[in-house]
Structure formats: structure tokens, C-alpha cells
Amino acid sequence: MNLYANAHDVLPAPLLREVQKHWQGTLYVPPPLCSSSNDRVLNAIRSGLPAKEVAKQCGISVRRVYQIAQTMGDENPYSTKRPRLPRVAASPEVE
């Protein structure tokens, strides 16, 4: 699977010329992600599915599932945040 394509091969000539007016060099064009896609992921997360299963069903990476889940704040079922315990100072060694 080729992740990169030559813009000359995939863009119409007028659009390519317009892009070239604004940018020279490597340009990342992210895929469209509509809010309905996020809603679908959030619904799958809320249903209690493991992140790996959500990723498989929604066609995204597990990492992206975790990123979307972070938007849920305290409701994030994948959150691994635990309350911090106070640090205990090391006691001097006794001979």
C-alpha cells in the first residue's frame, strides 16, 4: 500500500497550480473526519467495547480510539489516571 502520491498524478491541473502558489515542499492532507464519525466512535466506546474492537469496527487505529475517548473527560472508560499517592521521603539508613 502506497501512502504517498504525487500531487501531479492525483490533482486536477488548475488545483495543483493553486496549491503551488501557496506551498512548496511536503504537504500532508488529512482525510476528512466528520462529527458523525466521532459520534460513531463515541457510541461504540460508551457501549463498553474494548478499544481494539472499536478500532476494528470504525476502521481507525487503537491510538485514535484513545484520542477520541480523551474528549469524554471523566467519562472516559479507558482512562488509566489513578490518584497520586504522596511521595514518601527516603528514611536514613540505620546501622
Side-chain angles (χ1 to χ4, degrees), residues 5-94:
N6 187 325
H8 187 271
D9 297 335
V10 296
L11 297 178
L15 179 57
L16 178 59
R17 283 191 296 276
E18 194 62 33
V19 169
Q20 288 171 332
K21 288 180 188 177
H22 300 280
W23 186 258
Q24 291 292 319
T26 304
L27 178 66
Y28 171 72
V29 180
L33 182 63
C34 59
S35 62
S36 63
S37 296
N38 276 358
D39 291 341
R40 184 173 153 207
V41 174
L42 289 169
N43 287 335
I45 292 169
R46 286 186 186 109
S47 73
L49 291 174
K52 190 173 184 179
E53 186 61 29
V54 174
K56 185 177 177 183
Q57 284 186 6
C58 297
I60 59 177
S61 70
V62 174
R63 181 176 181 208
R64 183 67 183 132
V65 172
Y66 287 126
Q67 289 173 338
I68 294 171
Q70 284 180 337
T71 66
M72 298 172 72
D74 292 336
E75 296 177 28
N76 179 357
Y78 307 134
S79 178
T80 58
K81 291 183 179 178
R82 295 184 180 99
R84 284 190 150 193
L85 298 175
R87 295 185 97 175
V88 178
S91 58
E93 291 186 31
V94 179

